[in-house]
Amino acid sequence: MNRVRMTIIWSLSIVFFVSCESAGDKRLDFALEQAGKNRIELEKVLNYYQNDSLKLEAARFLIRNMPGHGGYEDDRLDSVKAVMKAAVELNIGGYLPDSEWKRKWD
């Protein structure tokens, strides 16, 4: 009876690990699809770490969790930076930001 239990537990463990891996693979594939032009760069990262299992899994984790997270890069952001820098230099409204804030905009 003990041997039967061990066989069942072992079988369930294998099914569990296989199902977890395939869900992770689906999320990785989805993230790579969502990357658009950057897919090539992400695949380069995966290929670079293919011989280091720990770093490869870390890269996979980061890529799997990328969808929904992003940033903005646009000329309009540069114009905001210019306005904020001018406001600091002219001390508009009598407001002088702290040195850390001022340093970021310089």
Side-chain angles (χ1 to χ4, degrees):
M1 190 66 169
N2 195 16
R3 186 173 185 190
V4 172
R5 278 188 189 162
M6 289 303 294
T7 303
I8 291 172
I9 291 172
W10 182 253
S11 299
L12 289 175
S13 298
I14 291 173
V15 169
F16 174 75
F17 287 118
V18 169
S19 66
C20 288
E21 184 62 32
S22 64
D25 287 344
K26 288 178 185 176
R27 289 179 55 205
L28 183 64
D29 290 339
F30 176 76
L32 290 172
E33 289 171 14
Q34 295 297 307
K37 295 178 191 176
N38 290 331
R39 180 185 183 125
I40 294 169
E41 298 302 318
L42 296 175
E43 288 174 342
K44 285 180 186 177
V45 170
L46 295 174
N47 288 332
Y48 183 81
Y49 290 119
Q50 67 185 354
N51 295 324
D52 187 334
S53 62
L54 187 60
K55 290 181 181 177
L56 178 61
E57 186 52 37
R60 287 179 178 164
F61 173 83
L62 292 172
I63 294 169
R64 278 193 297 260
N65 289 288
M66 279 184 171
H69 299 90
Y72 299 99
E73 187 173 328
D74 194 314
D75 292 338
R76 291 173 287 181
L77 293 176
D78 288 336
S79 66
V80 170
K81 184 177 178 180
V83 169
M84 295 302 290
K85 187 174 180 181
V88 168
E89 289 170 356
L90 297 173
N91 195 15
I92 293 175
Y95 174 71
L96 186 62
D98 68 349
S99 60
E100 181 64 22
W101 189 88
K102 185 177 178 182
R103 183 187 64 76
K104 286 180 183 180
W105 287 103
D106 285 342

